[in-house]
Amino acid sequence: MKHKSDLTQGGWLNLNNPRVRSVVYQILIILGVVWAVATIAGNVVANLEARGIATGFRFLGERAGFGVSQALIDYSSNSTYSRVFFVGLLNTLLVSAMGIVAATFLGLFVGLGRLTPNWLVRKICMVYIEIFRNVPVLLQIFFWYYAVLQTLPRPNQSITLFGDLFFINVRGAYAPRPVLESGIGILTTLLILAIIAVIALTIWARRRKRDTGEEFPVFWASLGILVGTMTVGYIATGQPLVFDIPELRGFSFDGGMRLRPELLALWVALTVYTSTFIAEIFRSGIQSVSHGQSEAARALSLTERQRMKLVVLPQALRVIVPPLTSQYLNLTKNSSLAVAIGYPDLVSVFQGTALNQTGQAIEIVGMTMAVYLIISLLVSAFMNWFNKRVALVER
């Protein structure tokens, strides 16, 4: 053979060969990392044994002995620490999901406002972004909690909205609570069938547009299917869904559902702060589309709505989605600042109260870190999938 492998040429340990040298360096780095991890783990175990601290996850089955102000599942002071974990996790997911949805719509609205030809609207949106983007989110949480919500009137002087249906006071916001009765299963089945019909209609409309070039009013037709099906089903099944309206009795409200001021302050602060970055993402994404595309759309007599829907947004999404993913992740991680105002999220009730009572720092901190890691990976995976769906395929 005239040619030899790069690895064997000059001997296996020829450090003058770049490929051999890179392999050796990587092996040394791996061995160094393994040695460091083993050393740290050995020191931790030795220190825990010296202090008589037990390790393991047996504490999750023990009684917690403390209450939680907000729980989406059944919980009492007699519940276990594993129950505390799930209570905190659900509260974290709740405020994160609420914040992502609200921040996305608010950011889109403000971003479009930055591009409007109306001078006043454009400047208002710019001032909104510059103010709330440059103030730390923790200070905004304090502002909404102490300077806004804590100055609201007492329950007997509550602010009333929508004809005595919604009430806002210093104790939070009260809204009608849905109550499920017999027949709700049939109504749910009808809703699922209506959603399937909407999906089928959307697929048919896309194929029709591809074959004929004619656009079908999918939105209005889908809205008609959903509203019509649910209205007829609601009446036919004997109105299985009713609402418990909150009523003022004495010094507090009875009935309905309550959004505590801690949740409201955290939700508003995360929404406002993140929406400023999302607004700039939408603005930059839309402006990244060549003006020639808009001019061509107008030359084809497309309306402004059709131009934005069919020409601009499909091309802008490939620029918008990647940084939008980072903002969703930042909002989820910023929700851990809830501990500053006493909102019972995962960090507050599990890594805070539960850790102080049990002393299982390694296990609790590890579980908390794993939760945020898994949430971030799931959000990233979904957004990467969505990015591939909206990405333009070059021919």
Side-chain angles (χ1 to χ4, degrees):
M1 295 292 292
K2 184 178 180 180
H3 300 285
K4 295 183 179 180
S5 173
D6 292 338
L7 291 176
T8 58
Q9 188 175 3
W12 284 98
L13 295 179
N14 181 17
L15 296 181
N16 293 325
N17 189 317
R19 295 185 62 186
V20 174
R21 191 164 58 246
S22 65
V23 172
V24 172
Y25 288 162
Q26 292 180 56
I27 293 175
L28 293 177
I29 291 174
I30 293 174
L31 292 176
V33 171
V34 172
W35 174 82
V37 172
T39 302
I40 294 173
N43 290 335
V44 169
V45 172
N47 291 331
L48 291 176
E49 292 179 352
R51 289 168 173 78
I53 300 176
T55 58
F57 296 92
R58 289 174 293 182
F59 73 95
L60 292 175
E62 299 176 359
R63 178 178 175 272
F66 63 90
V68 177
S69 60
Q70 175 181 307
L72 300 180
I73 57 177
D74 292 335
Y75 177 83
S76 67
S77 59
N78 293 322
S79 300
T80 61
Y81 286 109
S82 61
R83 198 73 170 178
V84 173
F85 171 79
F86 286 108
V87 168
L89 173 61
L90 291 177
N91 287 338
T92 296
L93 294 177
L94 174 65
V95 71
S96 299
M98 292 171 58
I100 287 175
V101 173
T104 301
F105 283 102
L106 182 58
L108 175 60
F109 176 79
V110 176
L112 294 177
R114 289 272 280 136
L115 300 174
T116 183
N118 189 302
W119 182 88
L120 180 61
V121 174
R122 190 170 64 252
K123 293 303 179 181
I124 291 176
C125 293
M126 183 190 68
V127 171
Y128 167 85
I129 291 175
E130 293 302 326
I131 290 177
F132 291 104
R133 183 177 60 176
N134 295 298
V135 176
V137 63
L138 181 59
L139 294 182
Q140 295 192 39
I141 294 174
F142 287 148
F143 168 78
W144 291 107
Y145 185 68
Y146 292 107
V148 177
L149 295 179
Q150 292 299 314
T151 60
L152 290 175
R154 297 179 179 180
N156 57 355
Q157 299 175 339
S158 299
I159 300 174
T160 305
L161 301 174
F162 303 107
D164 295 337
L165 292 179
F166 297 87
F167 304 90
I168 302 177
N169 54 59
V170 70
R171 297 183 181 178
Y174 296 82
R177 179 173 60 89
V179 179
L180 306 180
E181 297 182 351
S182 60
I184 191 63
I186 300 177
L187 189 62
T188 304
T189 303
L190 292 176
L191 176 61
I192 296 175
L193 294 176
I195 294 175
I196 294 175
V198 168
I199 296 174
L201 177 64
T202 303
I203 296 174
W204 172 82
R206 290 179 179 176
R207 292 179 178 176
R208 179 175 179 267
K209 181 180 179 181
R210 182 188 59 192
D211 297 335
T212 64
E214 298 179 0
E215 188 172 357
F216 186 81
V218 178
F219 174 78
W220 296 109
S222 301
L223 183 62
I225 292 175
L226 291 173
V227 174
T229 302
M230 296 306 295
T231 301
V232 174
Y234 182 75
I235 297 174
T237 54
Q239 302 180 357
L241 179 63
V242 297
F243 291 90
D244 183 19
I245 307 298
E247 297 181 0
L248 179 61
R249 295 181 180 177
F251 296 98
S252 62
F253 279 87
D254 186 22
M257 62 180 181
R258 173 189 175 192
L259 297 180
R260 295 181 175 273
E262 295 81 10
L263 172 60
L264 290 176
L266 183 63
W267 179 37
V268 173
L270 293 178
T271 298
V272 170
Y273 179 75
T274 309
S275 67
T276 59
F277 295 93
I278 293 179
E280 290 296 272
I281 291 173
F282 276 111
R283 181 186 64 83
S284 60
I286 292 174
Q287 288 184 329
S288 68
V289 179
S290 173
H291 290 289
Q293 299 291 326
S294 298
E295 294 174 357
R298 294 188 179 98
L300 294 174
S301 301
L302 295 180
T303 64
E304 289 301 310
R305 184 185 67 84
Q306 290 175 329
R307 179 183 67 87
M308 184 64 65
K309 175 184 176 183
L310 302 176
V311 178
V312 177
L313 280 182
Q315 300 181 70
L317 283 177
R318 60 179 178 176
V319 179
I320 291 173
V321 172
L324 191 63
T325 303
S326 298
Q327 294 306 317
Y328 289 166
L329 298 179
N330 289 337
L331 187 149
T332 302
K333 290 180 285 189
N334 286 336
S335 66
S336 60
L337 296 174
V339 67
I341 56 174
Y343 176 73
D345 74 323
L346 185 64
V347 174
S348 177
V349 299
F350 190 65
Q351 188 172 310
T353 307
L355 189 152
N356 291 333
Q357 293 189 177
T358 62
Q360 307 291 144
I362 297 177
E363 294 83 354
I364 291 179
V365 173
M367 291 175 64
T368 306
M369 293 175 60
V371 165
Y372 281 100
L373 175 62
I374 293 173
I375 294 175
S376 299
L377 292 177
L378 291 177
V379 173
S380 298
F382 173 79
M383 295 300 292
N384 290 335
W385 169 83
F386 180 72
N387 189 34
K388 291 181 181 179
R389 292 293 303 271
V390 301
L392 296 178
V393 180
E394 298 183 0
R395 298 179 180 178

